[in-house]
Amino acid sequence: MTALISHTTFDSIDAYAQSVFWGQVLGFHQDPDDPNLPGEQECMIFSPDGAQRLLFIEVPNAKQLKNRVHLDLKPDSGTRDEELVRLLALGAREVEDLRSPDGTGWVVLADPEGNEFCILRSDAEREYWRCS
């Protein structure tokens, strides 16, 4: 017997705002039959195929320490650096730049509530550097 992940939950000060931000980052959507609304204490978003779900739950206190778990993201098209520009425009904040001159590395970002996540190179970029 094994356990299956139902969804990943994020504690949030503003569950709705977080669901909107992460929906834009990941291309996830809300349930049209149960839409997320401002002021709701729980807001869920779904991957396009419905296989992955993120739930944002309002809690009374802000994040205070470094995440013990975080998401590592990679662009589905384009480059890491192009995706970085897009994520910053959506409201992410750069925490630490760990890119190397040889093309390896990643950038640590924070969402609007301070939860860290990383942006890695795309599959195409890794393949290019592997073959160079």
Side-chain angles (χ1 to χ4, degrees):
M1 181 185 303
T2 61
L4 302 175
I5 297 172
S6 170
H7 55 271
T8 303
T9 302
F10 289 81
D11 289 347
S12 307
I13 295 297
D14 184 338
Y16 177 76
Q18 285 291 87
S19 73
V20 170
F21 171 80
W22 282 102
Q24 293 173 329
V25 168
L26 300 170
F28 281 30
H29 62 275
Q30 60 185 323
D31 181 348
D33 296 327
D34 185 17
N36 299 327
L37 299 171
E40 288 188 339
Q41 293 186 356
E42 295 185 8
C43 294
M44 186 172 287
I45 57 175
F46 303 81
S47 62
D49 65 1
Q52 298 175 16
R53 303 181 307 171
L54 299 180
L55 177 63
F56 300 90
I57 297 179
E58 288 193 2
V59 296
N61 51 343
K63 178 183 166 298
Q64 297 182 16
L65 301 172
K66 181 173 174 22
N67 296 20
R68 297 293 302 265
V69 175
H70 69 269
L71 301 177
D72 285 341
L73 308 178
K74 63 180 181 178
D76 67 347
S77 63
T79 68
R80 174 193 55 212
D81 295 345
E82 291 167 337
E83 185 65 359
L84 174 61
V85 170
R86 185 182 81 86
L87 297 175
L88 292 172
L90 289 175
R93 176 178 52 84
E94 188 174 313
V95 174
E96 188 172 10
D97 188 338
L98 298 169
R99 292 175 285 184
S100 300
D102 68 357
T104 60
W106 60 92
V107 180
V108 180
L109 300 171
D111 72 13
E113 291 194 5
N115 300 300
E116 291 94 4
F117 63 101
C118 297
I119 184 69
L120 312 173
R121 294 180 296 164
S122 67
D123 290 340
E125 287 176 290
R126 282 195 303 280
E127 182 64 20
Y128 171 81
W129 286 99
R130 189 182 69 74
C131 295
S132 295

